[in-house]
Amino acid sequence: MQSTYFDIYREWQAAPEEFWRRQAETLHWFKPIEKVFDNAQGVYGRWFVGGETNTCYNCIDRHVSEGCGDQTALIYDSAMNGDKRKYSFDEMLVEVQAIAAVLRNHGVGKGDRVVIYMPMVPEAVFSMLACARLGAVHSVVFGGFAAHELAARIDDCGAKVVISASCGLEPGRVVAYKPLLDHALDIAKVKPDFCLILQRDELHAALRYEHGDVDFRQAVEIEKVNGTVVDCEPVTATDPLYVLYTSGTTGQPKGVIRDNGGHMVALNWTMKNLYGVEPGEVFWAASDIGWVVGHSYIVYGPLLAGNTTVLFEGKPVGTPDAGTYWRIVSEYDVKVLFTAPTAFRAIRRDDPEGKLVETYDLSGLRALFLAGERADPETLKWAEQVLKVPVIDHWWQTETGWPMVGNPVGLGLLPFKPGSPTQPMPGYLIEVLDDAGHPVPANTLGNIVVKLPLPPGCLVSFWNADERFRQGCLEEFPGYYKTADAGMLDDDGYLFVMARTDDIINCAGHRLSTGAMEEVCAMHPDVAECAVVGVADSLKGQIPCGFLVLKNNVTRDEKLIEKEVIDLVRNEIGPVAAFRTVMVVKRLPKTRSGKILRGTMQKIADGMPWKMPATIDDPVILDEIIEILKSKGYAKGAAETAA
Ligand SMILES: CCC(=O)SCCNC(=O)CCNC(=O)[C@H](O)C(C)(C)COP(=O)(O)OP(=O)(O)OC[C@H]1O[C@@H](n2cnc3c(N)ncnc32)[C@H](O)[C@@H]1OP(=O)(O)O
């Protein structure tokens, strides 16, 4: 009889190391593991100590050596320019070795950091794998970030190389990447040795050969013609595979470190057990390689498990219509689709009755997984109605790298509860604690934490910042990892995730720091002080909303200043910040100790019930805020609900 979720979870709980040792045995190791978990190493311990492996080997060479070389590994489909390509594992091996050869020729080796700032093209995936092949550490930067954010990442990881492209393709515009990269390199303190630039047909970039630019295609083609072989470099399980930066509570992003061994073992487990896909089947994560979903479920997870992965360049709507996702699912016989709720809200807005769904054969699709932001029940219900497959919300973070809580298709679906991503996956013991660190009773709101040690595949630390990791994630609740999400567990152990406990907002599935936006707003010469809060948005879930207090002597047009601040955020952080709502106010509401009442402002803006904080310095300021919010279409009903 097949094991159920409860059997597997109990099995893990009874003998966690034995459980993970068995999972590790399904992958290839150059040197066996000496100790499954060593709590004396790293910040909270390390997995698979002494073992030597290579993630690229396990993603490609292993399948080739097992006779699956001609199976399709990657399907590329660009709804932006119509480009469609398929690569088998054999072909992928050629591409990856050629890029690895170019990197190696330029002195890149084990432990060197390579920043990848690329659009959704196969060469981006191959570049990630080429780094893994050499034991180099990649750091992918999302294309929607501007030069300043790119420079911060180049500096923080100490990049030896940047791999980029001439442009990205967004609806209605070609985004020139090269000027952004050049500007980033001009302001970065760290100067990489060279940049490998992929020229795309839509826009050719002017290469700065004197600064070490190398034409990607030309260099790679030479290695392909020469048939250069680059063997996989054995790395220890604990060596870093990648650094992925995520928003922190300040403008300085946190570099999440993922190791080689734990990462591949955990992701490989999820493909069959959680997502329910078998080797050879097509899995599509409609996200971007710049996010953790892209790392885990466009690149590494499916390839490790021998699935065919889909790399899609386009949007859920407008490229050309709300049927694009269904075209991809039917054209490539996608078995499981993973995307963010925002994508479905956009599709539903454009095709409310799901008419376009009916024009495609979606009979192969078995499940839809949603993550990245709260899945509102309305969207979930709609997706279920039109797709007629289970729609599964699941919950995880950039830090964890793979789902903490979900409903495991491969182990037999558990009953659904609306609003809950269901049960913890093996490896995660989830608890809810009050602010003093005591467990709260079932159905009581509190801080969601994970008992240490974190399972394989989770972050091992922040890049060059162990202390920041300890302080930010481990110190507040000793013995636990703090998720910074608030929620509750019900009597059946189902988790309900309600809100963030810090200043991170989730806009269209993108995790953004309002603190970072405030830092940029404050750079404007006319701004004395400011606050940015996330307000509810029917499409993107949340959008940032900025409140600006101008300096006393400023007489310039307020509208002009608002526009300048919007442009500043777009130029400093990038379009991904979706920073479009900003208002000049006379004063900001504060406590007597000077803390800005952001939470109260957010509740008022969203028209939620709110209470006058007992510690407020001047209650009249909230009336001023309500007035201006109302004039902009927010705070509907706010005054009526005031207590
Ligand atoms: C579970 C662990 C995690 O949470 S990992 C994170 C998971 N999140 C995701 O997968 C993200 C899901 N969201 C999306 O894929 C997109 O938001 C979707 C739904 C496709 C909508 O895209 P779009 O219409 O572009 O809206 P947006 O809010 O993402 O974009 C805002 C502005 O940024 C731009 N942008 C976006 N991507 C890029 C890019 N790669 N290069 C350059 N620019 C980019 C967009 O064009 C947009 O610009 P504009 O403001 O319209 O001028």
Side-chain angles (χ1 to χ4, degrees):
M1 210 173 70
Q2 204 211 335
S3 300
T4 66
Y5 159 78
F6 291 105
D7 298 331
I8 300 288
Y9 193 80
R10 270 194 298 266
E11 199 182 290
W12 162 72
Q13 266 190 312
E17 292 182 27
E18 179 52 25
F19 178 86
W20 290 116
R21 188 189 57 74
R22 274 203 310 281
Q23 310 313 324
E25 280 169 1
T26 61
L27 292 159
H28 174 272
W29 297 83
F30 292 109
K31 189 166 162 253
I33 296 154
E34 286 164 15
K35 207 167 180 191
V36 176
F37 183 72
D38 184 353
N39 63 6
Q41 290 200 27
V43 179
Y44 62 86
R46 297 304 302 267
W47 288 97
F48 308 125
V49 171
E52 283 186 7
T53 187
N54 183 286
T55 299
C56 180
Y57 186 92
N58 277 289
C59 285
I60 308 177
D61 305 54
R62 186 168 55 96
H63 304 305
V64 171
S65 71
E66 287 171 1
C68 300
D70 59 357
Q71 185 202 303
T72 304
L74 182 132
I75 296 168
Y76 173 59
D77 190 303
S78 173
M80 306 306 299
N81 63 8
D83 193 1
K84 292 181 186 184
R85 295 182 240 166
K86 284 186 183 177
Y87 294 88
S88 66
F89 282 103
D90 281 337
E91 289 164 339
M92 192 182 246
L93 183 57
V94 171
E95 300 291 336
V96 170
Q97 287 200 85
I99 300 170
V102 173
L103 293 174
R104 190 179 60 181
N105 294 346
H106 283 82
V108 176
K110 202 188 268 189
D112 289 332
R113 272 82 61 209
V114 177
V115 162
I116 300 176
Y117 182 59
M118 291 183 104
M120 292 285 282
V121 290
E123 290 80 359
V125 175
F126 303 154
S127 297
M128 292 166 77
L129 290 159
C131 292
R133 194 167 191 86
L134 295 172
V137 180
H138 62 69
S139 186
V140 180
V141 179
F142 176 61
F145 282 122
H148 181 266
E149 291 293 314
L150 177 58
R153 286 154 174 79
I154 289 171
D155 278 344
D156 195 77
C157 75
K160 188 180 174 86
V161 184
V162 178
I163 307 181
S164 189
S166 54
C167 66
L169 306 178
E170 287 295 300
R173 70 195 158 107
V174 172
V175 182
Y177 276 29
K178 190 61 175 39
L180 293 170
L181 170 62
D182 289 345
H183 182 43
L185 293 174
D186 289 342
I187 57 180
K189 289 183 201 72
V190 169
K191 304 295 173 195
D193 293 354
F194 71 105
C195 296
L196 204 51
I197 308 294
L198 178 79
Q199 297 281 21
R200 298 188 80 186
D201 292 344
E202 289 77 8
L203 179 75
H204 272 234
L207 299 192
R208 304 198 298 185
Y209 293 105
E210 70 286 4
H211 284 74
D213 284 351
V214 176
D215 185 295
F216 185 105
R217 240 186 265 284
Q218 278 175 14
V220 167
E221 211 44 48
I222 292 170
E223 302 305 331
K224 281 208 277 198
V225 170
N226 291 343
T228 312
V229 172
V230 179
D231 289 330
C232 291
E233 184 70 33
V235 293
T236 68
T238 53
D239 279 337
L241 170 70
Y242 70 75
V243 181
L244 177 60
Y245 286 87
T246 186
S247 299
T249 48
T250 66
Q252 180 64 20
K254 304 180 294 193
V256 165
I257 306 174
R258 200 86 62 208
D259 66 11
N260 275 275
H263 176 250
M264 64 179 196
V265 172
L267 292 188
N268 191 46
W269 182 86
T270 58
M271 295 311 297
K272 186 173 165 53
N273 294 286
L274 173 59
Y275 295 108
V277 280
E278 297 291 337
E281 290 188 328
V282 182
F283 182 88
W284 177 27
S287 180
D288 189 287
I289 51 149
W291 305 122
V292 72
V293 173
H295 282 61
S296 296
Y297 293 113
I298 295 175
V299 184
Y300 291 111
L303 295 178
L304 284 162
N307 297 117
T308 301
T309 188
V310 179
L311 183 75
F312 170 69
E313 184 182 43
K315 307 284 174 183
V317 296
T319 60
D321 58 30
T324 301
Y325 274 27
W326 320 135
R327 174 183 69 77
I328 300 273
V329 170
S330 75
E331 198 167 325
Y332 305 118
D333 194 19
V334 172
K335 297 296 182 202
V336 173
L337 167 62
F338 174 167
T339 192
T342 301
F344 265 77
R345 285 195 291 270
I347 294 171
R348 184 180 170 206
R349 186 196 54 189
D350 281 19
D351 182 19
E353 283 155 33
K355 287 209 161 63
L356 289 166
V357 180
E358 291 159 18
T359 60
Y360 294 96
D361 174 11
L362 305 186
S363 56
L365 187 69
R366 290 199 297 260
L368 166 69
F369 278 82
L370 297 175
E373 59 182 312
R374 186 176 165 268
D376 53 291
E378 276 303 299
T379 303
L380 239 141
K381 219 163 74 195
W382 181 83
E384 256 164 14
Q385 270 165 8
V386 299
L387 292 178
K388 301 179 180 63
V389 296
V391 177
I392 300 159
D393 182 17
H394 63 327
W395 175 68
W396 51 297
Q397 303 178 325
T398 304
E399 286 85 343
T400 66
W402 62 284
M404 288 184 274
V405 173
N407 198 340
V409 171
L411 300 174
L413 277 176
L414 298 167
F416 285 85
K417 290 198 188 189
S420 170
T422 315
Q423 295 269 351
M425 292 297 100
Y428 295 101
L429 186 69
I430 308 266
E431 293 184 32
V432 179
L433 307 179
D434 66 18
D435 288 348
H438 306 118
V440 298
N443 306 306
T444 309
L445 192 66
N447 300 284
I448 305 175
V449 295
V450 184
K451 188 127 181 69
L452 294 176
L454 290 168
C458 288
L459 85 167
V460 295
S461 190
F462 295 138
W463 187 259
N464 280 338
D466 284 351
E467 205 36 47
R468 190 176 180 197
F469 173 50
R470 260 190 218 102
Q471 277 178 11
C473 302
L474 308 182
E475 242 173 48
E476 192 172 339
F477 303 107
Y480 295 92
Y481 162 73
K482 178 179 91 166
T483 66
D485 274 304
M488 58 177 102
L489 284 162
D490 76 1
D491 297 312
D492 301 321
Y494 278 60
L495 184 75
F496 291 78
V497 184
M498 316 298 277
R500 287 291 293 185
T501 59
D502 57 15
D503 71 350
I504 301 295
I505 63 165
N506 200 313
C507 175
H510 307 306
R511 188 167 133 177
L512 302 169
S513 162
T514 54
M517 289 185 229
E518 286 182 6
E519 282 175 26
V520 177
C521 294
M523 284 162 55
H524 191 284
D526 293 339
V527 172
E529 61 176 344
C530 60
V532 177
V533 301
V535 297
D537 182 80
S538 59
L539 183 64
K540 300 195 178 205
Q542 272 185 312
I543 51 164
C545 174
F547 298 85
L548 311 176
V549 178
L550 302 184
K551 289 177 182 161
N552 280 338
N553 56 353
V554 173
T555 52
R556 296 175 64 229
D557 179 18
E558 287 181 3
K559 287 276 158 282
L560 186 65
I561 296 170
E562 286 173 3
K563 186 181 174 308
E564 286 169 0
V565 170
I566 288 170
D567 290 346
L568 195 59
V569 173
R570 193 176 172 93
N571 292 335
E572 288 292 313
I573 296 178
V576 67
F579 189 78
R580 291 208 178 98
T581 311
V582 66
M583 44 199 90
V584 170
V585 295
K586 278 191 252 164
R587 302 173 290 176
L588 290 172
K590 293 182 185 168
T591 62
R592 283 189 284 278
S593 60
K595 196 168 166 280
I596 298 172
L597 292 163
R598 294 180 181 81
T600 310
M601 288 161 77
Q602 175 173 356
K603 281 196 179 118
I604 291 173
D606 288 348
M608 305 271 288
W610 61 280
K611 279 199 180 109
M612 184 65 71
T615 54
I616 193 163
D617 185 33
D618 184 352
V620 174
I621 301 178
L622 277 182
D623 294 335
E624 295 166 12
I625 297 288
I626 290 170
E627 197 179 317
I628 188 142
L629 277 167
K630 283 193 164 167
S631 75
K632 304 262 180 186
Y634 292 97
K636 292 197 180 95
E640 289 78 11
T641 53

